Amino acid sequence: MARYKEDPAVLLQHIWLLSVVIAFADVITSLSVASGNDSLRHGSKGAGFAAIWSMFMVIGISVYAYYALTKWCTPFAIGYLIGALLMMSQMFLTLFCVFVGLARAAEDTDDQLNSDNGAMAFFSFVLFVVYGVFGGLVFKHRGAVTKGVSDAPPSGGGLASQTSNVGAFDPTDGQPAPDTQA
């Protein structure tokens, strides 16, 4: 615990790693849920779609978190990561409720479908907690990740820093543009 207090970036890397391990298990579960809900008579095609969509979202947030925490480290990238993690947390809370309902509805009809939907409900709840905690920790320790990096444009150059009006066209003076004069 002392190591995490000294360097919060290590804590964030370990939480990210935990989320990737759980995301890998969720990907496998999502494929099983999509397959089970698609092929069984009492399955829900909407549940299969939700499982596959959440799988793509989990892969996307895992990749984005890696780049935001290790490569980019800008306030914008970290802010976007915080928002995306908290939105994903809420999405998985909703999916947890949906798949609990589907698992209960399948109790009487099919054990395999009940098992798949129950597993998806479990991983949805776990990802709800993990992404919520991860987002909160990134918010709390965002300064440790950015390390003084700013989103402000550099002051030494670029088009935004040019203030010279030499050769600029002014449509209110009635004169043609400078490059068209002979």
Side-chain angles (χ1 to χ4, degrees):
M1 293 305 272
R3 180 178 179 195
Y4 293 148
K5 288 183 181 180
E6 290 175 14
D7 190 8
V10 173
L11 172 66
L12 295 177
Q13 289 173 351
H14 289 169
I15 296 292
W16 172 79
L17 204 56
L18 173 69
S19 74
V20 168
V21 169
I22 295 170
F24 181 73
D26 181 68
V27 165
I28 294 169
T29 304
S30 295
L31 293 171
S32 174
V33 166
S35 173
N37 277 300
D38 189 43
S39 64
L40 296 173
R41 196 178 71 188
H42 299 289
S44 168
K45 303 245 190 239
F49 173 78
I52 295 298
W53 180 253
S54 69
M55 176 188 75
F56 288 136
M57 295 291 289
V58 163
I59 292 168
I61 196 73
S62 296
V63 171
Y64 183 82
Y66 170 77
Y67 280 104
L69 293 173
T70 60
K71 304 284 184 203
W72 300 326
C73 302
T74 64
F76 177 79
I78 298 303
Y80 192 89
L81 177 63
I82 293 167
L85 285 169
L86 296 178
M87 292 289 287
M88 290 282 289
S89 177
Q90 295 302 305
M91 180 186 81
F92 278 107
L93 176 63
T94 304
L95 286 177
F96 166 71
C97 296
V98 167
F99 280 103
V100 163
L102 289 170
R104 286 190 178 172
E107 282 178 352
D108 299 333
T109 58
D110 193 345
D111 288 336
Q112 176 65 33
L113 188 58
N114 181 23
S115 174
D116 290 345
N117 289 333
M120 189 66 187
F122 170 77
F123 281 110
S124 293
F125 184 77
V126 170
L127 283 170
F128 156 66
V129 172
V130 168
Y131 285 149
V133 169
F134 189 22
L137 286 172
V138 171
F139 177 75
K140 181 179 178 185
H141 300 295
R142 64 190 180 274
V145 177
T146 57
K147 299 177 191 124
V149 176
S150 174
D151 278 336
S155 60
L159 293 176
S161 66
Q162 292 179 358
T163 57
S164 173
N165 288 333
V166 176
F169 173 64
D170 183 10
T172 61
D173 69 358
Q175 300 295 322
D179 59 334
T180 60
Q181 292 178 346

